[in-house]
């Protein structure tokens, strides 16, 4: 009678086992989603907001998306650019205070004279046009670049069939974030599978969305595999 409550408590605190992890690798077109979302959002906000402020916000979104699509900003590069921008800002403040040279003020006044205004119809049209290839890309990636990782295998599926399989064995999985902008726009990064020594890359899976959460599930699978392997080894030694 006393063993049943204890068994129930043990079962309650047993961590949830993860038997497989499924995710999709997307092309860079995935990161145009802010242009689509903000174009639709600004269409409804435009009547109640300053059109000039919305215009500059839309330009900022476009600049962020273009940079994400065009360049890979590594962590060190991102830190360098942040430090450089900070130095330029303090240099501008120093020139204004001590030399009466208003570089940033002149640039701001020049931009203000452009009289930028957000066109809600244009923004919505851009969102609708981009939503078409974006939707096709999502569907195509789900059919052709879907990965499934279990205790035993790394499987790649294309058009509903498994076209590549890599035995799990003793391998090393590493995650990296080669582009800070992709990390900002989708928590996206690269998942690389190495051999048992961790030197030779066997598979490189890029643009995995929400990679920290995928990695957390993979860690559970790896932990369960390690526990299972240790238990099997102990049973063999005992026999």
């Amino acid at each position: 009678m006393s063993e049943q409550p204890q068994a129930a408590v043990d079962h309650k605190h047993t961590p949830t086992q993860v038997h497989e992890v499924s995710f999709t690798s997307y092309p860079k077109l995935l990161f145009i989603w802010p242009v689509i979302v903000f174009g639709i959002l600004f269409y409804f906000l435009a009547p109640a907001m300053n059109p000039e402020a919305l215009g500059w916000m839309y330009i900022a979104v476009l600049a962020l998306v273009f940079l994400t699509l065009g360049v890979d900003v590594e962590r060190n590069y991102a830190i360098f650019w942040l430090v450089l921008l900070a130095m330029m800002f303090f240099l501008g403040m120093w020139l204004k205070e001590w030399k009466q040279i208003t570089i940033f003020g002149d640039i701001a006044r020049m931009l203000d004279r452009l009289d930028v205004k957000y066109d809600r119809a244009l923004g919505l049209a851009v969102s609708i046009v981009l939503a078409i290839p974006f939707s096709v890309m999502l569907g195509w990636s789900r059919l052709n670049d879907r990965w499934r990782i279990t205790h035993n295998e790394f499987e790649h599926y294309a058009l509903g069939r498994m076209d590549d399989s890599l035995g799990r064995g003793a391998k090393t999985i590493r995650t990296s974030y080669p582009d800070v902008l992709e990390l900002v726009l989708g928590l996206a990064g690269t998942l690389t599978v190495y051999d048992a020594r961790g030197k030779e890359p066997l598979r490189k899976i890029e643009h995995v969305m929400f990679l920290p959460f995928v990695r957390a599930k993979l860690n559970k699978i790896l932990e369960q595999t390690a526990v299972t392997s240790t238990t099997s080894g102990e049973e063999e030694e005992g026999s």
Side-chain angles (χ1 to χ4, degrees), residues 14-232:
T14 300
T16 303
Q17 291 189 346
V18 178
H19 300 286
E20 67 176 46
V21 178
S22 299
F23 57 88
T24 303
S25 174
Y26 296 96
K28 276 236 174 188
L29 186 63
L30 174 73
F31 302 104
I32 67 169
W33 70 262
V35 178
I36 299 174
V37 171
F38 281 97
I40 298 173
L41 180 63
F42 287 173
Y43 180 82
F44 296 100
L45 294 178
M49 294 188 65
N50 185 344
E52 184 176 3
L54 278 181
W56 285 112
M57 290 172 63
Y58 191 70
I59 290 173
V61 170
L62 289 177
L64 177 62
V65 170
F66 289 159
L67 287 174
T68 305
L69 296 177
V71 296
D72 288 335
V73 182
E74 296 180 355
R75 180 189 59 183
N76 294 338
Y77 289 160
I79 295 174
F80 168 78
W81 281 109
L82 289 176
V83 172
L84 180 61
L85 290 175
M87 291 176 61
M88 292 175 60
F89 174 77
F90 287 112
L91 177 62
M93 297 296 292
W94 181 82
L95 290 174
K96 178 183 178 181
E97 183 70 23
W98 297 99
K99 303 295 183 180
Q100 285 73 50
I101 301 176
T102 57
I103 297 177
F104 292 106
D106 294 338
I107 295 175
R109 284 187 289 272
M110 180 192 70
L111 295 176
D112 185 61
R113 286 194 295 268
L114 295 176
D115 196 24
V116 173
K117 287 184 173 57
Y118 181 73
D119 188 327
R120 63 197 293 254
L122 176 63
L124 182 61
V126 170
S127 296
I128 293 174
V129 171
L130 290 179
I132 298 173
F134 184 81
S135 301
V136 173
M137 178 273 301
L138 288 180
W140 184 260
S141 298
R142 291 287 297 175
L143 291 175
N144 288 276
D145 287 300
R146 188 166 60 88
W147 289 83
R148 176 175 174 268
I149 299 178
T150 65
H151 298 280
N152 300 317
E153 287 185 304
F154 294 81
E155 301 170 350
H156 178 259
Y157 289 86
L159 289 176
R161 62 183 178 84
M162 184 179 64
D163 67 346
D164 186 17
S165 180
L166 180 65
R168 170 71 181 86
K171 295 180 177 62
T172 302
I173 301 176
R174 295 175 184 170
T175 54
S176 60
Y177 301 92
D179 190 351
V180 174
L181 299 178
E182 292 183 8
L183 178 62
V184 171
L185 292 184
L187 294 178
T190 300
L191 192 150
T192 308
V193 183
Y194 290 84
D195 59 5
R197 296 177 298 173
K199 295 182 178 181
E200 181 181 355
L202 303 177
R203 297 291 186 277
K204 186 176 182 180
I205 310 171
E206 298 179 323
H207 309 144
V208 180
M209 290 286 288
F210 306 112
L211 184 55
F213 302 103
V214 173
R215 178 69 206 206
K217 293 182 179 180
L218 286 175
N219 288 341
K220 292 182 179 180
I221 287 183
L222 297 178
E223 291 171 1
Q224 293 169 18
T225 303
V227 171
T228 302
S229 300
T230 304
T231 304
S232 299

